[in-house]
Amino acid sequence: QVQLVESGGGLVQAGGSLRLSCAASGRTFSSYTMAWFRQAPGKEREFVAAISWSGGNTAYADSVKGRFTISRDNAKNTLTLQMNSLKPEDTALYGCAARRGYGTTSSPRDYGYWGQGTQVTVSS
C-alpha cells in the first residue's frame, strides 16, 4: 500500500505559478504509476497529468499541456506538479493518485490510492 499527502496549494493571481508536491509513504513508490487529478465545485474529477514509474513517460490533459509539468523523485518518494501561467479555470482541488501497473492512464477508476487534496485558487 501507499499513502499520499499533497501540499503546495494556495491562492495565486492569473499568470502566476504554483508547485504542488505529493509525499508518498512506503518503500515501493517507484513501482507505482502516479497522476494528478483535479475537481472544481460542481464538476467531475478531471485528469491533469500522469507519469510512469520510471518518469520516462508522461501524459497531460490538453488544457494544461505546455503550462504544467509533472515529475517524480523516486529516491525521495515525491511527486511534483509545476504549474505555470495559471488561469482562473485552473481553480480546483488537486489530488495525487497512484496505481499499480503500467500505463499513464487518464481514468480515475484505474487509480486505487488517493490523497486528500490541496486547494488551488487562481484569481483573475
Side-chain angles (χ1 to χ4, degrees), residues 11-15 86-88 91 121-124:
L11 174 63
V12 64
Q13 288 188 334
L86 283 161
K87 304 175 181 180
T91 295
T121 302
V122 184
S123 63
S124 57

Side-chain angles (χ1 to χ4, degrees), residues 5-76:
V5 179
E6 303 92 338
S7 62
L11 174 63
V12 64
Q13 288 188 334
S17 298
L18 279 175
R19 186 178 181 88
L20 304 184
S21 294
C22 173
S25 64
R27 292 175 288 181
T28 59
F29 175 72
S30 60
S31 66
Y32 290 88
T33 295
M34 301 296 297
W36 287 97
F37 288 82
R38 66 187 182 186
Q39 188 166 20
K43 295 188 177 181
E44 293 187 353
R45 184 177 285 170
E46 176 187 22
F47 170 76
V48 175
I51 188 166
S52 62
W53 65 272
S54 67
N57 292 313
T58 58
Y60 295 92
D62 288 342
S63 58
V64 307
K65 201 171 294 183
R67 300 187 298 123
F68 291 10
T69 302
I70 190 172
S71 61
R72 66 189 298 162
D73 185 336
N74 288 339
K76 297 182 178 179

